[in-house]
Amino acid sequence: MTYFLLTGQKLRAGEHLSSPDRSCFLTQQRDGDLCLYQGPGPEQRGGCIWASLGASLPHGDYFAAMQGDGNLCVYRQKPDGDTDFIWSTGTVAPGGKFMAVVEDGGLLTVRSGEADEHAKQPVLWASRRLRLLSFNTHLMAGSAIVTGAELTGKLPVTFRDDERHAFIVEKVKQSGADVVALQEVWSANRMDNIRDDLKSVYPHSIRGTSGALNRAGSGIVLVSKFPLEDWQFNQFPETSEEYSEDEWATKGVLSATVKLDGGAKLRIGMTHAWTNAGNKDARCANIENLIGWTLGGRGDMPAALLGDFNVHRMGDPAKFATLESLMAAEAATDSWTRVHGPDQALASATDDHIHNTLDQFFTPGSDTPASDCLDYVYLKDSAQTPLRPLQATVLRDWRYPLNTSNPAWYWVHKGTLAHLPSAAVAGDKLWVATRAAHDRSLQISRFDQATKQWRHEVLPDVSSDGAPGLVWFAGCLHLFFQQDRQVMKMESVDGRKWSRAESQGGEMRSSGGVCAVVHQGRLYVFCRDPNGEQVCVHQWGAGGWSKRDWLHIDTPHDIAAASLGDTLCVVTVDAGSGSPRGLMRAVLNNTGKWQPAQLEKGATATGSPGITSRNGRFELFYREPGGAGMFHRSSADGLNWSGADFDARLATMDTVCPAAFGDDLLLFYAHVHESGEGYAKRALAHSQYPAGVQLDASDHYPYQVDLAWPRG
């Protein structure tokens, strides 16, 4: 008799499947119960390990079937040929090829794939499993971590912490985890509150120290569905090798023994290591502490060592090798590698700046770092109780829509911003050109949709006296800017390597910024009268640049333009006296003439507006005169505009540049600097419009491991 059922196969009443080592067998009983027993078969049946129903139905013609949707089901065959549904594993999955496997050690699983490689296939369901969950929550509000961040200029470190706290509690309750290790629950009150909030599902809990008055606590909490005994917290010894943020906490190791049903015990050791795992070099003193304090003097006991180790699996191979070596010395193995093999390391990333919106928020002013794994579960067998991981999963779906109330999500880039940014799109690439606030340098920020990573580069030996204009035209980027009132241009095919800046000569002069746009296949460049404030335009043609043409609007501000079908619309702020000033527009359509006018009565701003087009409409954004948010208007023709939509969640120092990129509408602007923030003043930032994103529960993803239930 084989030990598995493939898709389409049935196990009828009275039949059985024995595990390869003949330690257990599965049988479909005539009372409807699908049961797993100890022993090699019915003739030598031991105790019941697992039962689908745990009760008897009237005797009948029952059978178990492995279905093509991933469900292992039990049915009763009726005399008329129909069937009654009795029970299922509830596992619905794509693929069409599945198997129910009677495994060594008293376990029934449902796996995807073919029978000849069943041990390598993902486990969709198990008759009984122990689920461990490790999660760095980044809940810092109310702790000394915030005070330390204020003193060291490393804000922000909080974002909707109370709201995320409530969401995390519900997700943990729904996770099905048996033992949960939480990190970065920083304040003493929050550690106690989260234990209370989880008590209905996890009645047993312990936590690390609260810390001194001027220090945050350990931030680690362990909750369990099963009793915890022999627990202790040990604080890491302080050394000169701590990073500055670690000095504001009292990190350490929390360990306990979990008393499982059936007499089994599992030793748990959890930690949140220092930022360098205890050492600046490849050593891992914190991991040595974790192992010693968890396992020391407790004999041959199975154990799980888990938490945020702050060891980069991919980014720091030397430190990861030390981690592996320390664990191997205690016969502890990495659960991820045991389940997925060594070739799937990238999928283990729990620290994911590329996709995790909160990770992006808390890592401002940098290129997008590579994703990496910082969170681990290592498993140590005992002679009597081997620990067998069935599944290892990074939970990337703990997120919820963020679309109401302040603060809105935003991301701060490298560099600062003076004047209006300019954006260009080509396929899955986006580039943003900015002129720095602290000097006259130009920066190119580029985003690749394929990698979802931002890169920032300051153009060497290039300076500008106004806003740059960036456009994709004739197969490459064209960057226009003004030096000593002369319009200059550089070209690039990728935004990294640029041609030498060249003067455009002739009348191509400007007293302010430069704006470039492609309309009906032709390149237009808008400037400001080099001797005044009138807006003019040049077109590129076979003979070079056209002579200056006037739009009959004046402005002391920057200029923005967008193309929509046969209409070209230019917007700016009026040159009139006082503040705020009215918005002006000039439209070129099939009449062939520029049509200048005030945009709408009452439409005023204190910074340059920005415009783009998408989905058959112009989209216009500008700063509310008092700086309390942004206004948005739209138009199908550039002449008639909608009423103003106000969004207080979006704030700019002055200008705003919208960019239609794929399905998104992105806004680039100078971040409104608040007291204590670690951002540079007038830092370049971007938000989505409308101001809603899918907010991840933390800047780390939860890591979940399912084990075959340990034997007592």
Side-chain angles (χ1 to χ4, degrees):
M1 173 69 72
T2 185
Y3 58 91
F4 52 79
L5 281 181
L6 298 178
T7 300
Q9 292 182 337
K10 299 176 181 178
L11 184 69
R12 297 194 174 275
E15 296 179 341
H16 73 277
L17 303 174
S18 296
S19 63
D21 68 355
R22 300 183 63 78
S23 63
C24 62
F25 68 95
L26 179 73
T27 183
Q28 176 61 62
Q29 298 184 165
R30 298 187 187 278
D31 64 358
D33 219 354
L34 182 66
C35 294
L36 189 67
Y37 289 98
Q38 293 176 338
E43 299 80 10
Q44 302 178 52
R45 189 178 82 178
C48 182
I49 301 171
W50 169 85
S52 61
L53 302 177
S56 296
L57 300 177
H59 278 224
D61 186 10
Y62 298 94
F63 65 91
M66 186 66 249
Q67 298 184 167
D69 62 357
N71 258 314
L72 175 64
C73 297
V74 175
Y75 295 93
R76 181 174 68 88
Q77 186 80 52
K78 297 196 296 186
D80 62 4
D82 284 344
T83 58
D84 287 331
F85 169 78
I86 304 299
W87 173 87
S88 81
T89 54
T91 47
V92 177
K97 293 183 179 181
F98 304 93
M99 52 193 160
V101 184
V102 183
E103 311 234 7
D104 295 343
L107 186 69
L108 173 65
T109 62
V110 174
R111 297 176 180 261
S112 60
E114 303 285 355
D116 57 349
E117 293 188 351
H118 81 273
K120 299 179 181 178
Q121 302 301 331
V123 174
L124 305 177
W125 176 89
S127 55
R128 193 170 193 195
R129 52 101 182 105
L130 179 69
R131 177 167 290 175
L132 308 178
L133 180 70
S134 178
F135 187 28
N136 183 320
T137 64
H138 199 109
L139 294 172
M140 297 193 175
S143 75
I145 295 291
V146 179
T147 304
E150 290 173 347
L151 293 175
T152 56
K154 290 191 175 182
L155 286 180
V157 293
T158 64
F159 189 82
R160 294 177 174 249
D161 281 31
D162 291 341
E163 180 181 299
R164 291 192 298 108
H165 174 121
F167 179 75
I168 288 168
V169 164
E170 291 308 309
K171 294 300 287 185
V172 170
K173 287 180 176 179
Q174 298 164 13
S175 69
D178 298 292
V179 181
V180 182
L182 301 174
Q183 304 95 46
E184 291 202 6
V185 187
W186 280 118
S187 74
N189 286 339
R190 194 175 295 278
M191 284 193 284
D192 291 334
N193 289 341
I194 207 163
R195 293 169 70 191
D196 289 341
D197 293 342
L198 291 169
K199 193 171 185 177
S200 61
V201 177
Y202 300 94
H204 310 281
S205 67
I206 54 177
R207 70 170 176 87
T209 183
S210 299
L213 291 177
N214 63 340
R215 301 279 291 274
S218 61
I220 56 179
V221 176
L222 185 69
V223 300
S224 172
K225 293 179 179 178
F226 303 98
L228 301 171
E229 62 182 20
D230 186 21
W231 74 272
Q232 63 184 20
F233 173 78
N234 298 92
Q235 183 177 333
F236 294 136
E238 297 181 13
T239 76
S240 60
E241 295 196 49
E242 292 174 84
Y243 279 179
S244 59
E245 54 262 45
D246 294 314
E247 295 174 357
W248 292 94
T250 49
K251 292 182 177 181
V253 173
L254 186 61
S255 57
T257 298
V258 185
K259 295 177 62 178
L260 302 171
D261 292 346
K265 291 186 177 182
L266 177 68
R267 187 70 180 164
I268 295 283
M270 67 166 294
T271 191
H272 178 202
W274 292 346
T275 309
N276 57 19
N279 300 100
K280 296 177 181 178
D281 55 22
R283 293 173 296 159
C284 300
N286 292 164
I287 306 305
E288 294 175 359
N289 297 145
L290 169 66
I291 294 170
W293 289 332
T294 302
L295 304 180
R298 287 175 176 81
D300 187 27
M301 181 181 293
L305 303 159
L306 70 166
D308 178 354
F309 292 178
N310 266 320
V311 174
H312 294 77
R313 185 191 295 269
M314 285 81 76
D316 193 343
K319 218 170 192 78
F320 179 67
T322 300
L323 168 64
E324 285 277 84
S325 177
L326 291 171
M327 291 294 183
E330 300 296 330
T333 54
D334 174 29
S335 57
W336 182 269
T337 303
R338 285 184 63 179
V339 173
H340 299 283
D343 297 331
Q344 299 297 317
L346 186 58
S348 72
T350 53
D351 185 27
D352 186 357
H353 301 78
I354 294 174
H355 302 98
N356 186 306
T357 50
L358 205 61
D359 210 354
Q360 294 163 2
F361 180 83
F362 287 133
T363 315
S366 66
D367 291 343
T368 306
S371 301
D372 214 327
C373 171
L374 299 179
D375 304 87
Y376 299 86
V377 176
Y378 274 80
L379 303 172
K380 177 187 179 297
D381 298 342
S382 71
Q384 300 300 319
T385 309
L387 296 181
R388 183 149 55 100
L390 304 173
Q391 290 177 306
T393 310
V394 176
L395 304 177
R396 301 174 182 272
D397 60 350
W398 285 29
R399 46 175 36 198
Y400 62 97
L402 180 67
N403 49 26
T404 59
S405 75
N406 278 319
W409 180 92
Y410 59 90
W411 190 61
V412 171
H413 292 252
K414 272 186 175 181
T416 58
L417 172 62
H419 301 290
L420 183 67
S422 181
V425 173
D428 61 356
K429 305 287 193 304
L430 167 68
W431 299 269
V432 180
T434 51
R435 192 259 204 184
H438 61 285
D439 58 21
R440 299 162 57 224
S441 63
L442 291 179
Q443 175 178 284
I444 302 297
S445 305
R446 66 181 191 275
F447 182 78
D448 187 336
Q449 184 66 38
T451 63
K452 299 187 183 300
Q453 290 180 291
W454 281 98
R455 294 289 182 263
H456 308 82
E457 293 171 350
V458 175
L459 300 183
D461 304 320
V462 176
S463 61
S464 174
D465 293 328
L470 185 65
V471 68
W472 182 268
F473 176 67
C476 71
L477 289 166
H478 296 251
L479 174 64
F480 295 89
F481 55 97
Q482 180 252 118
Q483 283 183 349
D484 297 327
R485 305 203 174 208
Q486 181 63 54
V487 174
M488 312 292 290
K489 186 184 79 164
M490 302 171 69
E491 295 182 4
S492 173
V493 295
D494 58 9
R496 290 178 290 185
K497 296 181 179 179
W498 291 86
S499 65
R500 189 175 62 181
E502 294 183 353
S503 169
Q504 299 304 287
E507 294 184 336
M508 294 285 286
R509 294 171 60 80
S510 177
S511 63
V514 183
C515 168
V517 66
V518 175
H519 175 59
Q520 294 187 319
R522 302 193 69 182
L523 177 60
Y524 290 71
V525 171
F526 298 89
C527 305
R528 220 167 59 196
D529 180 0
N531 300 308
E533 295 181 334
Q534 296 182 60
V535 178
C536 60
V537 62
H538 300 267
Q539 296 182 46
W540 178 259
W545 292 108
S546 67
K547 290 187 176 182
R548 186 180 296 146
D549 187 15
W550 302 102
L551 275 63
H552 308 294
I553 54 176
D554 299 349
T555 183
H557 287 263
D558 297 323
I559 307 160
S563 172
L564 178 64
D566 62 0
T567 303
L568 177 58
C569 183
V570 178
V571 293
T572 189
V573 175
D574 191 13
S577 61
S579 181
R581 298 175 179 178
L583 294 181
M584 300 296 293
R585 56 84 175 159
V587 172
L588 178 67
N589 52 27
N590 53 18
T591 65
K593 296 182 179 179
W594 286 104
Q595 302 171 60
Q598 185 176 2
L599 186 99
E600 289 289 336
K601 186 176 180 180
T604 60
T606 50
S608 300
I611 189 172
T612 190
S613 63
R614 71 193 294 253
N615 300 331
R617 296 187 70 84
F618 288 110
E619 307 288 351
L620 174 71
F621 294 86
Y622 55 97
R623 180 180 186 261
E624 188 273 331
M630 290 187 197
F631 284 117
H632 164 249
R633 295 175 185 261
S634 68
S635 172
D637 58 11
L639 303 173
N640 303 288
W641 290 85
S642 68
D645 299 322
F646 177 69
D647 197 327
R649 295 169 296 169
L650 300 170
T652 173
M653 296 289 287
D654 38 43
T655 63
V656 55
C657 168
F661 183 55
D663 296 330
D664 296 326
L665 184 57
L666 306 179
L667 306 180
F668 296 88
Y669 53 91
H671 174 67
V672 177
H673 188 274
E674 306 208 2
S675 175
E677 285 186 337
Y679 308 137
K681 290 186 177 180
R682 300 194 60 86
L684 170 65
H686 88 262
S687 296
Q688 290 184 213
Y689 187 85
V693 298
Q694 289 289 321
L695 184 71
D696 288 279
S698 176
D699 58 347
H700 285 223
Y701 293 129
Y703 179 41
Q704 172 182 289
V705 175
D706 287 350
L707 309 176
W709 191 264
R711 296 198 298 264

